[in-house]
Amino acid sequence: MVFSDFHFYSEVLGIQTAAYILLPQPQVAAQSGSPIPVLYLLHGLSDDHTMWLRQTRVEQYAQRYRLAVVMPAANRSFYMDMAHGAKYETFVSRELSSVIERYFPVCRKRSGRFIAGLSMGGYGALRLALRYPGRYAAAASISGCVEMERGYETFRRQNPSVLEELDNVYGGEREPLRGPGSLFGLADRFLKEPQRAPRMYMACGTEDFLFGHHKKFVPALEKNGWDVTHEETPGFGHEWAYWDAQLAAFLPFALGD
């Protein structure tokens, strides 16, 4: 594999930012004669863009499936255009992919572009896939904080210090979470046309503190007529062993293998 610690200036964020990038060796990339499929892999709230590479076998999986993997830095933004902060939704969904496609030989079509993440990144991956269904062929939430309507209450009990951050992200109003920040609201946009939506993969351990979010959101997708692949794995909590295993399971799903 080729590894790049890629740094560049973001016009959207107004700062120098970074992403880890994995690419197949040139001779491997050239074997099929087609652009390399690309996965945008999003980190969790307390992590950064380095953690997927440090904690999982993502490099082995990328090599196995002839896949490019882009792991961007997004701070604690929930991958939103923040009410009081930077525009990370615009950065990840538009600017980042434009920069990557300019400098690296990755697929520029929806059929070869995927997005996934864990925890905060699981929410971000599903939200961006639902906001921009023409950009991603498949999306995955692994232990995702997918029900932000309840997210405030969850964090109030477990980590009250996060509440101020959420106010900076969403503007301090609870009601808007039922709008542009709500996965439930975004999913309902596809009620009459589920075929427009990306293919969805959702996984969560039964011992995860976010398992209730998962249990509620999967039926919300299924009632809209989507064929959702979901895993509810006994005995696992919010942990890297689970996230590694589910990343390995998502990739053949995304690539249709």
Side-chain angles (χ1 to χ4, degrees), residues 106-171:
V106 300
C107 185
R108 301 185 179 190
K109 297 180 179 179
R110 179 184 190 263
S111 59
R113 192 187 294 121
F114 317 105
I115 191 166
L118 67 88
S119 196
M120 178 187 78
Y123 167 80
L126 294 191
R127 185 175 175 279
L128 292 177
L130 293 172
R131 287 272 285 171
Y132 307 101
R135 297 194 61 78
Y136 308 102
S141 165
I142 305 172
S143 302
C145 186
V146 297
E147 191 186 1
M148 286 307 298
E149 292 86 341
R150 285 176 59 193
Y152 272 99
E153 298 306 317
T154 298
F155 285 119
R156 180 177 288 111
R157 292 193 307 271
Q158 299 201 10
N159 192 350
S161 65
V162 177
L163 288 177
E164 183 177 351
E165 292 185 82
L166 292 179
D167 288 345
N168 287 334
V169 171
Y170 294 103

Side-chain angles (χ1 to χ4, degrees), residues 39-43 52 58 69-72 79 114-117 247:
L39 169 67
Y40 291 87
L41 190 56
L42 310 183
H43 65 76
W52 278 106
V58 61
V69 182
V70 178
M71 296 161 275
Y79 300 91
F114 317 105
I115 191 166
L247 175 61

Side-chain angles (χ1 to χ4, degrees), residues 88-108:
Y88 277 96
E89 174 186 323
T90 301
F91 168 66
V92 174
S93 67
R94 297 185 180 278
E95 185 183 32
L96 177 64
S97 57
S98 176
V99 170
I100 296 300
E101 290 166 9
R102 187 182 315 138
Y103 287 101
F104 299 95
V106 300
C107 185
R108 301 185 179 190

